[in-house]
Amino acid sequence: MNAWTAQKTEDYASLSTALCLCVCAAGLFGEDLLQRGYHRDREVLAHVAGHPGAATRQIARAVGASERVVARNLDRLTADGLLTLVTDGANPAHRSYRLAS
């Protein structure tokens, strides 16, 4: 609204201020989305720390997210070296996670 009013009255200082505020708000919104992903990583990591050997489905139920989202979190945490993937020799499809040592 400030940008529209400033444009009508040719107040360029108010116009530039309004545009800066819009850009800053968009940046903060993007940062919030990024931090939400890190928050889920922390939840997943905390659950695995408390429940070593937990499977993806169990973790997803515990943190209240879909298995697909949790699988991405687990892949990221494993790639970062915070978790270790444990597979059952008899059933390689059964995958569970533990904290890396």
Side-chain angles (χ1 to χ4, degrees), residues 36-45 63-65 69-70 73:
R36 194 173 303 161
Y38 292 140
H39 177 73
R40 176 88 62 217
D41 281 352
R42 289 190 301 266
E43 286 182 75
V44 168
L45 190 61
V63 299
V69 170
V70 170
N73 295 118

Side-chain angles (χ1 to χ4, degrees), residues 44-59:
V44 168
L45 190 61
H47 183 77
V48 173
H51 303 88
T56 306
R57 179 172 290 152
Q58 296 165 336
I59 298 167

Side-chain angles (χ1 to χ4, degrees), residues 75-98:
D75 288 343
R76 187 171 36 245
L77 292 167
T78 303
D80 289 345
L82 297 171
L83 294 179
T84 302
L85 174 63
V86 180
T87 56
D88 185 4
N91 186 4
H94 180 72
R95 301 161 39 126
S96 61
Y97 295 85
R98 296 183 183 277

